[in-house]
Amino acid sequence: MNYYEIPKVALHRHLELSIRHSTIRELAPSIGFNNLTDQSFADHFLITEPMKDLGSVLNKFLDTQKLLSTEEIIERISYEACEDAYNEGVRVLELRYAPTFLVQGHNLTFEQAHLAAVRGVKRAEHDFNMAVGLVCIIQRILPVKEAESVTDFAIEHKDTFVGLDLADNEDGFDSKPFSSFFKRAKDSGLGITVHAGEADLPNAPRYIMDAIEHLGADRIGHGVQCYRDQKVVDYLIEHKIPLELCPTSNWLTGAIKDPDGHPFKKLMDQGVMTTINSDDPGIFNIDLSHEYKLLHTKYGLNQDDFVKCNQYAFDTCFIAADKKAKVWNK
Ligand SMILES: [Zn+2]
């Protein structure tokens, strides 16, 4: 099977962590990393072995974030993220980023950063036959006040955002305080996706239900821990709520500890709307085709399964129906 040739819909991909390695190397001297060897490059910018928990993974993203210091760089990495996705067979792409994370420590407003990302995405849509939508992320680890300003920002820019997401470490950071923000976003017409049930925490399946009940999630980012509670699995099936699954990410973050134990196929066979995603391809040193290969060779998914997963992703993608249909020829 040529994994690159499969036409793909990618729903879960973080803009800030999809940076091309050649671009990281080019920008690295600007933050004091000169003459990076392969080893020091990997030490600072890559995660290729399982980390001890999600918190330590999130910390490792900070060097990469330091690189994103100007509008030009943000426009460039946005364009390149789309181009790389296109070369992996992606025709419909949702790219997500957190305005608070993107501008942190840089002399940039949300507005400047966002318009730069929009310029990069629009240029890519012009150059490649693809439809791209940006999803705005609220960082659950920040004070609720900041979440409110990000919500306002997303709603003010709903012509250039397709959805709102809640991300970061779930351990100790409940969904409920964010419910009024997500209600407003949903009422404004934005799609809602929530990182929930990602890490292997005692109440992880419950967090998925919280995201649905309190935040109105249309889709769940990861949600992989649902396999531990059949009632949650049944709910996802009955209410047709898709999971944005990212197998390699789950392995590297320690969400799934057994390298052969990802529940993707089991969930799909039961009728869960499973979609295939790469999460942070740059940092994880993978691309989306790598995930297809993994699912094919290790978990036995076949061509028909891939068609089905992409149809689930296409149907539940937040990009406007006419826009996504134009690039998705059956
Ligand atoms: Zn994610």
Side-chain angles (χ1 to χ4, degrees):
M1 205 182 295
N2 183 332
Y3 305 104
Y4 287 90
E5 282 176 0
I6 301 169
K8 301 176 186 72
V9 179
L11 300 179
H12 193 124
R13 191 157 173 138
H14 291 261
L15 170 63
E16 308 95 320
L17 302 165
S18 300
I19 311 183
R20 222 178 249 181
H21 291 181
S22 56
T23 302
I24 296 179
R25 284 181 180 276
E26 199 184 313
L27 299 175
S30 72
I31 60 164
F33 294 125
N34 293 296
N35 310 315
L36 283 170
T37 61
D38 286 349
Q39 189 56 50
S40 58
F41 177 81
D43 288 346
H44 287 286
F45 297 106
L46 301 184
I47 297 170
T48 56
E49 291 295 330
M51 306 281 285
K52 69 179 191 328
D53 54 42
L54 190 60
S56 42
V57 172
L58 299 176
N59 275 335
K60 187 126 184 182
F61 297 162
L62 294 176
D63 278 335
T64 305
Q65 191 275 345
K66 289 192 194 120
L67 300 171
L68 310 175
S69 56
T70 69
E71 291 166 77
E72 291 70 28
I73 292 171
I74 293 170
E75 178 176 341
R76 174 183 175 175
I77 63 145
S78 303
Y79 179 88
E80 290 178 353
C82 296
E83 184 181 30
D84 291 346
Y86 183 80
N87 288 330
E88 293 160 28
V90 176
R91 297 295 171 262
V92 181
L93 170 66
E94 284 185 24
L95 264 183
R96 58 185 71 196
Y97 79 92
T100 42
F101 180 74
L102 195 55
V103 305
Q104 183 185 306
H106 302 308
N107 190 22
L108 288 170
T109 62
F110 287 177
E111 182 84 15
Q112 287 168 327
H114 181 63
L115 294 181
V118 170
R119 283 195 299 278
V121 164
K122 288 226 155 81
R123 256 201 307 127
E125 286 181 317
H126 174 268
D127 291 353
F128 311 108
N129 182 38
M130 68 191 307
V132 184
L134 289 167
V135 173
C136 182
I137 298 178
I138 292 177
Q139 292 186 269
R140 68 203 317 155
I141 57 170
L142 293 182
V144 170
K145 194 81 204 140
E146 296 230 34
E148 184 169 22
S149 69
V150 175
T151 307
D152 293 340
F153 182 73
I155 294 173
E156 276 161 31
H157 293 83
K158 62 181 185 178
D159 54 335
T160 45
F161 277 124
V162 297
L164 186 68
D165 177 23
L166 184 67
D168 278 340
N169 200 349
E170 293 173 88
D171 198 359
F173 298 96
D174 203 1
S175 287
K176 294 187 202 84
F178 303 95
S179 65
S180 66
F181 308 143
F182 277 80
K183 174 154 192 346
R184 278 205 287 130
K186 193 161 193 160
D187 289 346
S188 81
L190 288 168
I192 304 296
T193 178
V194 175
H195 281 72
E198 176 180 4
D200 185 12
L201 300 169
N203 289 323
R206 179 63 233 169
Y207 297 155
I208 297 168
M209 294 309 299
D210 284 349
I212 297 165
E213 289 168 2
H214 299 288
L215 306 182
D218 301 304
R219 305 193 316 237
I220 298 293
H222 298 284
V224 63
Q225 303 297 336
C226 72
Y227 80 95
R228 290 161 37 197
D229 186 339
Q230 189 59 37
K231 284 202 288 299
V232 176
V233 172
D234 292 342
Y235 188 95
L236 295 172
I237 297 167
E238 188 188 341
H239 294 270
K240 297 190 164 53
I241 296 174
L243 299 183
E244 303 159 2
L245 292 169
C246 313
T248 294
S249 169
N250 292 156
W251 158 240
L252 293 173
T253 62
I256 296 293
K257 302 220 162 43
D258 173 1
D260 299 315
H262 199 282
F264 193 110
K265 177 105 169 70
K266 255 182 252 155
L267 294 170
M268 186 178 66
D269 288 347
Q270 287 190 73
V272 177
M273 296 175 78
T274 46
T275 69
I276 307 166
N277 302 280
S278 53
D279 210 8
D280 310 321
I283 301 306
F284 291 153
N285 200 24
I286 58 163
D287 63 17
L288 187 54
S289 293
H290 173 276
E291 301 302 271
Y292 280 70
K293 183 178 180 188
L294 179 78
L295 289 167
H296 178 221
T297 55
K298 189 175 272 194
Y299 295 102
L301 269 73
N302 60 29
Q303 193 82 39
D304 290 343
D305 295 327
F306 290 146
V307 169
K308 201 167 168 182
C309 290
N310 279 302
Q311 190 63 47
Y312 289 147
F314 181 82
D315 292 343
T316 58
C317 170
F318 299 142
I319 297 171
D322 55 338
K323 180 175 168 177
K324 61 185 178 182
K326 248 182 238 161
V327 299
W328 192 246
N329 302 320
K330 305 281 149 51

